[in-house]
């Protein structure tokens, strides 16, 4: 009661905001006569003048009035369209980082030009986000005329562009593109191995067109880039066949005397840490076996830089044979290796071990080695768009979802009144007993409108229903057009003419969105064609354009007399917002129009929420077949049901976001680390810290901090350092010499030995030449383990709800376990990178560069899949060898690896013919 009293006295928050904006509109209108008096050159000069004011310390809000006045005058000269006052208000709402709800036909595309121009003056780039490629290209082309007139550059970001084209699009002052493409570009930018391959710059300001569709409807499913994991099936099998020839050592050797070994062998097994290590003799034997098998070049060592991957395969196969046992750790079912949960003993179908272990076990069991698609990067729209420094949006239907926009994105919704009062009549719903009766009533309504010449738009919730209506119209011999939200450009042309007399258009609710239905049809396209026809002289052109306008005016007046556009909906959508979008197609700019929803008790929404109650009323009233209920009470009951479904859908999206927030925090850390490594000119100090930290962790596994000598396991530490790190320090002998040694002295000695080994390599090769190698080792290791981590998080999320049965909060459990897994990921990456850098053998500068390029090439997936719910998988793959024309030998020798390929493909040489040569 009290809030209503305050609202009645002071007005709502929406009213107060509109009042503020209208005061600014008066200032803009006061400048209109001054700007009309400017010449074209003087008007165009406003852009550099405004930029100078910004450079001098002015804020965007300080130049808003002048900027908006400039755009309005430029629009009058370029488009012959003047921004209405409500559009100026809309521009201010967008600039303020809020959502502008403007009804269909109010000119949202033109409204956006105000905020786009103002923010583009700052030079940080403005992204305009649309729902499909056609609208992105159309708006960029049409509105681009205005921006170009004012001296700004415009880019279009759609799928299929080359890297150079995308970089040019993002470098422009204003970039139009689709939500999917912006998101995929962000993910791809965080998968590159060279800074020159990035396309996006910092995310500054985005205006999302049809914001409810993008930030709510499409936010249920994340964007995912997946790639086929490398197929090393043959290599796994070859290495597996060599493992039985290696013998296991029993007992630990004393580093000083070599005693303590019961049975000498080629490798040791540490069951406590679940690891296997080659002994010194084992290394020699393994190298001999691999050389004999043709896997290791003659005279090379397993520790040579080029053989890092081979070493990984040997250790995976050792673990598969001696640490993972059939019917204990896994079972073989239907030709697949299925993991057994070590705690519950249950089979974990669909789960796979990482680091190549699962493939090694498959090779051991001689079942098919699966090369699977693995998620390489993923992000939700919520988390992508929240990265922009400022975000705003516009739509005709945001108010019903205002709470979600505020809760998830921090976006306030401002409802802007129409330029002219609404004339559309929204009739009460008609509810029939059966679907058959409903569709008969729909066809009768369509036929009656068609015979009178009134245009009809029939809205359906599915393609199946639109085809059913089309079939019934065929039987009635009535002409129609069908739109199903698949052919955007063609549908925009159809929807533009849906207001012509007698036209029947069937559309799924989302089809043709972004294009106005003008009563009498849209002549703008025909006028454009005439004005572009150079064969016509000015007089003929003007006469024909006038004739077109006169014809349209006649049709427009006729349709208005008939009642405007008629909207017929065949069922209610689960969201009131989608229903309002359909209704909003009629009654633009004060035009007449009408809408009605036809429902039946068989409709999903009615059946679930209100069917039994309404059926009982119909039975009690003994309603004959074909009769319908028409009552405000029933319509309100249906809207109540829609609110329940909206609430459930909001909870689902919020839950998706809460889980993704966990991986998003981790994603930020990984991407930040990745970008710092990419951008760093030298890496020696950074990698030195990694080596020190990793070796410190190794020591602390065997010599805990502030522990006494009885707790130390020096023999095991010596074995790991010698076998796994190639650091034969013989700590046992050192300690036997006596002296006061504590745990920190041991740590210092081991770390110092590792640091010295690392520094020797840097000095031997040269820091400038060693840096690309370090960068590639770090990036590839980070990427590989991050992919495995994403898969592990997905598996964890799928089963975490079961924790609820143990009276635990699944979300808290997920956060706790994900945090622990992330800590393990960082630890593993650090250890693996450090181990490679300490043990690798590099003989020359040329070898360091060659291995870095080899790692980069191995890291570039041959095939990527970009996946989102509303589009099929799209592939990006390298050309097959058969498709490439041969190049002369001298050409391949003369071209640098990162230069453009001489064949003219537009790719780097190393990614085209260089891959083959």
């Amino acid at each position: 009661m009290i809030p209503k009293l305050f609202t009645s006295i002071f007005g709502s928050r929406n009213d107060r905001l509109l009042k503020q904006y209208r005061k600014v509109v008066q200032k803009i209108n006061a400048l209109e006569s001054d700007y009309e008096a400017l010449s074209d050159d003087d008007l165009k000069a406003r852009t550099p003048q405004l930029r100078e004011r910004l450079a001098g310390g002015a804020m965007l809000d300080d130049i808003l009035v002048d900027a908006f006045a400039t755009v309005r005058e430029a629009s009058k000269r370029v488009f012959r369209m003047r921004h209405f006052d409500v559009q100026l208000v809309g521009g201010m709402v967008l600039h303020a980082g809020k959502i502008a709800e403007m009804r269909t036909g109010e000119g949202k595309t033109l409204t956006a030009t105000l905020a786009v121009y103002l923010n583009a003056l700052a030079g940080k780039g403005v992204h305009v986000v649309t729902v499909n490629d056609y609208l992105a290209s159309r708006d960029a082309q049409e509105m681009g005329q205005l921006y170009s007139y004012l001296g700004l550059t415009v880019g279009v970001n759609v799928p299929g562009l080359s890297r150079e084209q995308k970089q040019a699009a993002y470098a422009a002052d204003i970039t139009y593109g689709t939500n999917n493409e912006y998101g995929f570009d962000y993910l791809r930018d965080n998968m590159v191995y060279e800074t020159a391959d990035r396309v996006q710059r910092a995310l500054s300001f985005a205006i999302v067109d049809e914001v409810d569709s993008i930030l709510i409807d499409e936010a249920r499913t994340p964007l995912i880039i997946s790639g086929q994991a490398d197929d090393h099936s043959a290599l796994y099998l070859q290495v597996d066949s060599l493992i039985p020839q290696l013998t296991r050592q029993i007992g630990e050797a004393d580093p000083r005397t070599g005693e303590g070994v019961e049975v000498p062998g080629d490798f040791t097994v540490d069951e406590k840490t679940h690891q296997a290590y080659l002994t010194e003799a084992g290394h020699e034997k393994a190298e001999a076996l691999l050389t004999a098998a043709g896997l290791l070049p003659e005279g090379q060592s397993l520790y040579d830089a080029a053989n890092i991957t081979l070493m990984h395969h040997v250790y995976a196969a050792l673990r598969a044979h001696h640490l993972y046992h059939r019917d204990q750790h896994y079972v073989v079912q239907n030709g697949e290796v299925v993991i057994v949960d070590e705690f519950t003993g249950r089979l974990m179908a669909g789960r796979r071990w990482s680091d190549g272990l699962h493939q090694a076990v498959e090779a051991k069991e001689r079942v098919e080695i699966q090369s699977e698609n693995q998620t390489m990067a993923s992000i939700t729209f919520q988390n992508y768009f929240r990265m922009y420094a400022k975000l705003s949006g516009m739509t005709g239907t945001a108010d019903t979802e205002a709470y979600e926009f505020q809760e998830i994105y921090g976006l306030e919704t401002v409802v802007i009144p129409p330029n002219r009062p609404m004339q559309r009549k929204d009739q009460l719903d008609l509810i029939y007993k059966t679907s058959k009766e409903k569709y008969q009533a729909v066809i009768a309504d369509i036929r009656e409108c068609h015979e009178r010449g009134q245009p009809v738009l029939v809205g359906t919730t599915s393609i199946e229903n639109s085809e059913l209506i089309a079939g019934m119209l065929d039987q009635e011999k009535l002409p129609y057009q069908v739109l199903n939200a698949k052919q955007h450009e063609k549908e925009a042309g159809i929807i533009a003419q849906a207001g012509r007399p007698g036209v029947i258009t069937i559309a799924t609710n989302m089809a043709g969105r972004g294009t106005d239905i003008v009563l009498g049809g849209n002549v703008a396209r025909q006028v454009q064609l005439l004005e572009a026809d150079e064969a016509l002289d000015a007089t003929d052109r003007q006469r024909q354009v006038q004739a077109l306008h006169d014809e349209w005016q006649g049709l427009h007046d006729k349709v208005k007399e008939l009642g405007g556009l008629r909207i017929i909906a065949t069922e209610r959508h689960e969201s009131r917002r989608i229903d309002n979008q359909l209704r909003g197609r009629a009654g633009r700019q004060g035009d007449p129009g009408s809408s009605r929803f036809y429902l039946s008790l068989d409709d999903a929404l009615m059946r679930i929420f209100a069917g039994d109650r309404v059926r009982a009323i119909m039975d009690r009233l003994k309603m004959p077949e074909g009769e319908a209920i028409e009552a405000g009470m029933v319509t309100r009951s249906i809207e109540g049901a829609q609110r329940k479904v909206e609430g459930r859908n909001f909870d689902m999206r919020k839950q998706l976001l809460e889980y993704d927030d966990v991986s998003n925090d981790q994603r930020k850390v990984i991407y930040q680390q990745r970008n710092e490594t990419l951008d760093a000119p030298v890496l020696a100090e950074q990698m030195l810290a990694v080596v020190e930290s990793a070796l410190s962790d190794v020591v602390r596994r065997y010599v805990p901090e502030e522990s006494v000598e009885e707790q130390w396991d020096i023999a095991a530490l010596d074995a790991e350092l010698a076998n796994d790190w190639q650091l034969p320090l013989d700590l046992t002998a050192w300690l036997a010499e006596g002296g006061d040694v504590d745990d920190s002295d041991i740590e210092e000695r081991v770390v110092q030995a590792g640091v010295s080994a690392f520094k020797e390599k840097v000095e031997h090769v040269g820091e400038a030449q060693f840096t690309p190698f370090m960068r590639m080792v770090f990036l590839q290791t980070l990427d590989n383990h991050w992919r495995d981590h994403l898969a592990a998080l997905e598996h964890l999320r799928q089963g975490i709800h079961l924790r609820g049965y143990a009276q635990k909060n699944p979300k808290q459990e997920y956060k706790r376990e994900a945090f622990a897994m992330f800590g393990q990921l960082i630890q593993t990456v650090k250890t693996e990178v450090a181990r490679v850098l300490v043990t690798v053998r590099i003989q020359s500068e040329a070898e360091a560069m060659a291995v870095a390029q080899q790692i980069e090439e191995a890291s570039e997936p041959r095939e990527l899949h970009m996946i989102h719910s509303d589009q099929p998988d799209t592939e990006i793959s390298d050309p097959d060898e058969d498709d490439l024309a041969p190049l002369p030998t001298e050409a391949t020798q003369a071209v640098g690896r990162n230069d453009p390929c001489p064949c003219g493909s537009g790719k780097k040489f190393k990614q085209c013919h260089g891959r083959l040569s």
Side-chain angles (χ1 to χ4, degrees):
M1 191 71 189
I2 292 173
K4 284 183 180 176
L5 179 64
F6 277 116
T7 302
S8 63
I9 297 170
F10 302 108
S12 66
R13 160 84 176 159
N14 202 80
D15 295 336
R16 293 196 299 276
L17 284 171
L18 292 175
K19 195 173 180 181
Q20 289 174 24
Y21 294 139
R22 285 188 181 116
K23 288 177 183 175
V24 183
V25 169
Q26 289 173 0
K27 294 179 183 176
I28 298 167
N29 288 342
L31 293 174
E32 188 162 15
S33 57
D34 297 342
Y35 276 79
E36 283 175 338
L38 293 175
S39 68
D40 277 2
D41 289 341
D42 288 340
L43 184 60
K44 290 175 183 179
R46 297 300 294 156
T47 299
Q49 289 166 13
L50 291 170
R51 279 185 157 156
E52 278 175 28
R53 285 175 62 185
L54 286 175
M59 306 298 289
L60 287 175
D61 288 341
D62 300 332
I63 63 169
L64 184 147
V65 172
D66 288 310
F68 278 31
T70 302
V71 176
R72 176 190 261 185
E73 184 56 35
S75 175
K76 284 157 66 175
R77 299 185 190 189
V78 174
F79 298 135
R80 302 188 188 92
M81 288 193 287
R82 178 185 178 276
H83 290 79
F84 301 131
D85 286 359
V86 290
Q87 288 176 308
L88 295 177
V89 170
M92 282 180 263
V93 170
L94 294 176
H95 167 64
K98 303 181 193 300
I99 291 174
E101 180 182 292
M102 301 175 72
R103 288 185 177 166
T104 302
E106 292 295 306
K108 290 187 285 292
T109 307
L110 191 63
T111 299
T113 58
L114 298 158
V116 167
Y117 173 77
L118 172 61
N119 285 269
L121 292 171
K124 295 178 182 176
V126 175
H127 293 174
V128 183
V129 187
T130 63
V131 290
N132 60 55
D133 302 339
Y134 163 70
L135 288 177
S137 302
R138 183 200 73 178
D139 292 354
Q141 186 178 358
E142 292 183 0
M143 299 300 118
Q145 299 171 53
L146 175 63
Y147 302 129
S148 299
Y149 177 86
L150 290 171
L152 298 180
T153 55
V154 181
V156 186
N157 178 32
V158 291
L161 300 181
S162 68
R163 189 189 73 225
E164 291 75 14
Q165 289 171 317
K166 276 189 175 288
Q167 286 171 337
Y170 279 109
D173 296 313
I174 301 148
T175 309
Y176 281 83
T178 63
N179 48 323
N180 284 350
E181 206 57 23
Y182 285 121
F184 283 137
D185 285 339
Y186 169 74
L187 293 176
R188 284 189 289 248
D189 272 3
N190 285 286
M191 292 167 64
V192 300
Y193 284 85
E194 294 178 24
T195 52
D197 290 340
R198 291 189 192 132
V199 296
Q200 280 189 345
R201 45 182 175 156
L203 303 177
S204 174
F205 176 46
I207 294 180
V208 184
D209 192 9
E210 307 297 1
V211 66
D212 54 327
S213 173
I214 291 172
L215 296 191
I216 290 182
D217 297 333
E218 297 197 28
R220 293 190 201 181
T221 48
L223 293 174
I224 297 171
I225 295 184
S226 66
Q228 196 163 21
D230 295 334
D231 184 11
H232 292 307
S233 304
L235 184 55
Y236 279 110
L237 290 167
Q238 284 176 290
V239 172
D240 182 80
S241 65
L242 305 179
I243 297 303
Q245 300 175 56
L246 299 175
T247 56
R248 178 174 176 175
Q249 175 175 297
I250 310 291
E252 285 291 345
D254 187 309
R256 290 170 300 170
T257 62
E259 295 175 359
V261 175
E262 295 173 37
V263 180
D266 303 313
F267 63 92
T268 60
V269 174
D270 185 346
E271 294 184 7
K272 188 166 59 178
T273 59
H274 236 53
Q275 292 292 339
Y277 303 107
L278 289 173
T279 62
E280 197 167 333
H283 276 293
E284 292 174 8
K285 187 170 180 181
E287 285 173 0
L289 291 170
L290 290 165
T291 304
L295 298 174
L296 186 67
E298 191 76 43
Q300 282 198 15
S301 163
L302 265 177
Y303 285 104
D304 285 343
N307 303 320
I308 295 166
T309 310
L310 199 53
M311 184 70 149
H312 176 77
H313 278 78
V314 171
Y315 274 120
L318 268 177
R319 293 175 68 205
H321 273 268
H322 297 284
L323 284 161
Y324 290 84
H325 306 296
R326 185 168 179 165
D327 297 331
Q328 179 187 347
H329 298 100
Y330 64 90
V331 297
V332 178
Q333 277 187 353
N334 303 321
E336 289 184 15
V337 172
V338 182
I339 300 173
V340 176
D341 189 308
E342 60 178 312
F343 301 110
T344 64
R346 296 173 189 268
L347 298 183
M348 301 165 74
R351 294 285 292 268
R352 291 176 69 80
W353 288 305
S354 59
D355 286 339
L357 176 62
H358 209 99
Q359 287 90 334
V361 173
E362 287 170 334
K364 167 188 157 187
E365 295 294 343
R366 293 297 188 266
V367 298
E368 184 185 352
I369 298 174
Q370 297 178 19
S371 72
E372 58 216 27
N373 263 12
Q374 70 182 141
T375 299
M376 307 177 85
S378 168
I379 195 168
T380 57
F381 280 131
Q382 289 104 322
N383 276 320
Y384 173 71
F385 282 108
R386 290 194 304 188
M387 286 191 290
Y388 280 89
K390 183 164 72 174
L391 178 66
S392 61
M394 50 189 183
T395 181
T397 47
D399 198 36
T400 57
E401 313 288 350
Y403 175 75
E404 181 167 353
F405 283 123
Q406 183 68 56
E407 182 83 0
I408 303 291
Y409 302 98
L411 287 172
E412 184 177 5
T413 300
V414 179
V415 181
I416 298 168
N419 184 48
R420 294 178 184 166
M422 170 67 72
Q423 301 290 325
R424 187 185 69 235
K425 295 174 183 172
D426 294 328
Q427 298 170 325
L428 291 173
D429 300 356
L430 288 178
I431 298 117
Y432 293 84
K433 241 183 180 180
T434 64
S435 295
K436 182 184 172 186
E437 293 171 54
K438 175 182 76 173
Y439 285 120
Q440 285 173 346
V442 166
I443 297 299
D445 195 344
I446 294 171
R447 189 194 307 108
E448 194 261 334
C449 290
H450 180 70
E451 286 170 356
R452 286 191 296 109
Q454 185 177 10
V456 181
L457 178 65
V458 185
T460 66
T461 56
S462 68
I463 294 172
E464 184 185 3
N465 284 352
S466 64
E467 289 171 349
L468 178 66
I469 296 282
M472 296 177 78
L473 290 176
D474 281 333
Q475 291 176 356
E476 296 289 326
K477 304 284 193 295
L478 291 172
Y480 61 87
Q481 293 269 22
V482 180
L483 291 77
N484 56 23
K486 294 293 177 194
Q487 298 167 298
H488 302 301
E489 187 167 358
K490 181 183 172 190
E491 291 178 9
I494 294 172
I495 209 82
Q497 305 307 327
R500 294 177 73 84
V503 169
I504 302 170
T505 310
I506 306 169
T508 53
N509 288 343
M510 299 305 293
R513 207 169 166 186
T515 306
D516 286 345
I517 298 176
V518 181
L519 298 188
N522 195 331
V523 295
R525 178 70 181 150
Q526 292 157 285
V527 169
Q528 282 176 0
L529 291 172
L530 280 175
E531 289 181 342
D533 188 352
E534 294 177 1
L536 295 171
D537 61 32
T539 311
D540 278 349
R541 186 180 294 117
Q542 189 175 358
R543 183 173 50 76
Q544 291 190 33
V545 167
Q546 188 59 48
L548 277 175
H549 279 297
D550 291 345
E551 181 192 3
W552 171 81
Q553 192 63 52
L555 294 173
H556 179 74
D557 294 342
K558 180 183 176 184
V559 172
K560 281 182 77 170
E561 285 172 22
L562 294 168
L565 181 67
R566 170 73 165 168
I567 303 289
I568 297 175
T570 60
E571 62 186 285
R572 285 266 190 181
H573 195 274
E574 61 182 29
S575 166
R576 290 169 297 158
R577 179 170 46 82
I578 307 292
D579 291 343
N580 291 340
Q581 283 167 13
L582 182 62
R583 274 192 165 134
R585 292 293 199 167
R588 63 182 291 282
Q589 289 294 329
D591 286 340
S594 62
S595 71
R596 170 159 265 162
F597 282 81
Y598 287 83
L599 313 177
S600 81
L601 300 184
D602 299 334
D603 295 349
L605 198 72
M606 291 293 296
R607 193 174 65 247
I608 296 166
F609 289 100
D612 292 341
R613 210 168 355 163
V614 179
R615 194 183 296 276
I617 295 170
M618 287 180 153
D619 290 341
R620 203 173 300 133
L621 295 174
K622 295 187 173 59
M623 290 179 64
E625 187 175 331
E627 285 289 316
I629 284 184
E630 181 181 4
M633 180 185 72
V634 179
T635 300
R636 284 192 296 276
S637 173
I638 294 165
E639 287 179 354
Q642 287 175 305
R643 281 194 191 91
K644 289 179 192 171
V645 180
E646 287 165 6
R648 187 195 68 195
N649 288 341
F650 168 59
D651 289 340
M652 285 166 57
R653 286 189 292 268
K654 193 173 181 187
Q655 184 149 315
L656 169 74
L657 182 62
E658 284 173 348
Y659 279 111
D660 191 62
D661 277 343
V662 176
S663 56
N664 191 53
D665 292 339
Q666 298 177 2
R667 185 188 299 118
K668 285 177 183 173
V669 172
I670 294 293
Y671 285 177
Q672 181 186 355
Q673 187 73 54
R674 210 179 179 285
N675 289 326
E676 284 174 2
T677 306
L678 262 178
D679 295 333
V682 290
L683 287 169
E685 280 190 30
Q686 189 178 329
M687 292 301 131
L688 192 63
V690 170
V691 169
E692 289 176 353
S693 177
L695 281 169
S696 178
D697 291 341
V698 170
V699 173
R700 291 306 175 194
R701 277 213 305 274
Y702 301 100
V703 183
E705 207 165 352
E706 296 182 0
S707 59
V708 293
E709 195 168 341
E710 286 75 15
Q711 295 173 281
W712 300 350
D713 190 351
I714 299 299
L717 176 57
D718 260 338
E720 177 164 345
L721 290 172
N723 294 328
D724 224 27
W725 293 83
Q726 295 293 289
L727 295 173
L729 296 183
D730 199 355
L731 296 170
T732 311
W734 176 60
L735 289 171
E737 291 171 5
D740 189 16
V741 176
D742 62 13
D743 60 282
S744 59
D745 295 327
I746 297 172
E747 180 186 14
E748 187 179 339
R749 186 176 178 86
V750 172
V751 169
Q752 195 54 49
V755 166
S756 299
F758 173 68
K759 284 183 174 177
E760 277 176 29
K761 291 178 176 59
V762 177
E763 287 166 12
H764 178 66
V765 178
E767 189 170 354
Q769 284 70 33
F770 203 58
T771 296
F773 171 72
M774 290 189 284
R775 181 177 288 120
M776 284 306 145
V777 168
F778 182 84
L779 292 178
Q780 191 192 39
T781 307
L782 187 70
D783 287 353
N784 287 343
H785 287 288
W786 175 241
R787 290 169 202 159
D788 289 340
H789 181 70
L790 286 175
L793 282 180
E794 184 56 36
H795 291 313
L796 175 65
R797 184 158 73 185
Q798 286 171 3
I800 202 73
H801 65 278
L802 297 172
R803 305 285 175 92
Y805 292 115
Q807 305 300 311
K808 292 179 179 177
N809 183 329
K811 283 178 202 160
Q812 292 303 323
E813 289 290 297
Y814 179 77
K815 287 177 183 177
R816 185 176 59 78
E817 291 210 16
F819 181 75
M821 287 163 63
F822 187 66
Q824 184 62 41
L825 163 73
I826 298 297
Q827 183 70 32
T828 305
V829 169
K830 183 172 66 177
T831 305
E832 202 166 303
V833 170
R835 189 183 295 146
V836 170
L837 295 179
V838 170
T839 58
V840 71
R841 292 178 187 168
I842 290 186
Q843 308 300 327
S844 65
E845 297 176 12
E847 189 179 351
M849 297 295 286
V851 174
Q853 289 180 339
Q854 181 185 330
I855 294 172
E856 182 186 354
E857 286 173 2
S859 308
E860 291 171 353
R862 288 187 63 81
E863 194 175 81
L864 289 180
H865 298 262
M866 316 297 158
I867 306 162
H868 186 245
S869 61
D870 67 339
Q871 61 168 192
D873 293 8
T874 56
E875 297 178 10
I876 298 178
S877 50
D878 288 332
D880 295 329
E881 296 185 19
D882 297 341
D883 299 336
L884 291 174
L887 288 180
T889 309
E890 56 272 19
T892 63
Q893 289 170 346
V895 180
R897 290 182 48 70
N898 289 310
D899 294 341
C901 189
C903 74
S905 66
K907 295 190 170 205
K908 284 183 181 178
F909 177 62
K910 68 180 180 185
Q911 292 164 345
C912 195
H913 282 79
R915 182 188 286 281
L916 307 180
S917 63

